[in-house]
Amino acid sequence: MRRIMLGLFALLWVPLACAQGVQSQWEEGKHYFRVNPPQTPVTGDKIEVLEVFSYACVHCANFEPQLANWKQTRKPDHVEVLYMPAAWNPTYEFYARAFYTAETLKVLEASHMDLFNALHVERQQIRSLDDLAAFYAKYDVKPETFKQTAGSFAVETKLKRAVALVPRYGVRGTPAVIVDGKYRFDTASSGGTEQTAFALMDYLVARATEERRAMASAEASAP
């Protein structure tokens, strides 16, 4: 199994040499930061790319289509993109509850970008649980079902986990991206544009992949 994993990580990220070639472009402590202590990814053998965001955040609304494009056109197969809503004030917690309710009801993929658009493009006033229930009704979710699920044990558990984890990543603003539980950056630290943000994401994914490959190699050669 160790040899299989070693071979897998050796093949997974072909552009790694290119990323290493521009390594001096990115400075730790300036463009990206270590998560200390690092948090264990939940993606198993895949590199975890985690966006910390809020539906209330206009910068997240601008970032989200770019992340969707990266997922479709540039994301390597061995990378999994996850989302964690910040909930550090009542407004953010309100929309974090919406996220986890939609996830629990299995309508998150269909509704994710739509909620951003409703809030920041269409300027809909979605400020109460009834407003959210009316919004999600278009995805065949009955309002009562939505409201009951929003207060369920499952959603409360996910919300409490996010409240606990976001500070551990060192996130103080949204959107922020955590790569494999150990590297954090945002648009501002990466250079102020989506283009530089995703170039840095490519680099950190390559770096995390190489670190996993090195670890697999060390384990394979251990007595």
Side-chain angles (χ1 to χ4, degrees):
M1 176 61 72
R2 287 178 177 174
R3 291 185 177 180
I4 293 174
M5 289 301 299
L6 175 59
L8 176 63
F9 277 106
L11 294 173
L12 279 174
W13 189 242
V14 175
L16 178 58
C18 296
Q20 291 174 328
V22 296
Q23 182 172 356
S24 60
Q25 177 182 353
W26 307 113
E27 297 180 31
E28 184 177 326
K30 178 180 179 181
H31 299 110
Y32 65 95
F33 308 89
R34 282 188 181 267
V35 176
N36 188 21
Q39 302 299 304
T40 303
V42 299
T43 50
D45 294 338
K46 292 192 173 185
I47 299 295
E48 180 185 270
V49 170
L50 175 68
E51 182 198 11
V52 179
F53 79 102
S54 174
Y55 288 121
C57 169
V58 66
H59 303 294
C60 299
N62 294 332
F63 184 77
E64 208 64 24
Q66 304 298 323
L67 179 58
N69 181 67
W70 184 86
K71 287 171 61 178
Q72 292 177 357
T73 63
R74 291 165 60 177
K75 183 187 76 66
D77 291 340
H78 70 291
V79 172
E80 185 172 351
V81 177
L82 302 177
Y83 304 89
M84 180 172 288
W88 49 51
N89 62 46
T91 299
Y92 274 40
E93 181 178 338
F94 173 73
Y95 290 112
R97 188 176 299 277
F99 174 89
Y100 285 124
T101 304
E103 182 180 67
T104 301
L105 292 171
K106 303 187 185 305
V107 295
L108 179 61
E109 185 175 354
S111 64
H112 186 61
M113 280 304 307
D114 286 352
L115 185 52
F116 273 119
N117 290 333
L119 292 169
H120 298 284
V121 178
E122 300 170 6
R123 303 291 184 180
Q124 293 185 32
Q125 301 299 306
I126 302 176
R127 297 179 177 176
S128 69
L129 198 58
D130 285 336
D131 293 338
L132 282 174
F135 173 82
Y136 284 100
K138 70 179 71 174
Y139 306 100
D140 296 325
V141 175
K142 294 180 179 179
E144 284 306 312
T145 300
F146 182 88
K147 288 188 282 188
Q148 289 173 4
T149 305
S152 67
F153 176 79
V155 169
E156 290 291 345
T157 299
K158 292 178 178 180
L159 190 56
K160 288 179 180 178
R161 179 176 180 271
V163 169
L165 275 179
V166 168
R168 296 179 193 174
Y169 290 120
V171 173
R172 295 180 176 85
T174 53
V177 176
I178 316 298
V179 176
D180 220 30
K182 61 177 68 173
Y183 301 117
R184 180 187 75 253
F185 73 93
D186 55 38
T187 302
S189 71
S190 67
T193 69
E194 283 82 4
Q195 182 177 3
T196 54
F198 288 101
L200 177 55
M201 188 183 298
D202 289 339
Y203 165 71
L204 290 175
V205 166
R207 177 169 179 171
T209 302
E210 172 59 18
E211 289 170 349
R212 286 209 189 192
R213 186 205 64 81
M215 183 180 297
S217 178
E219 290 178 354
S221 61

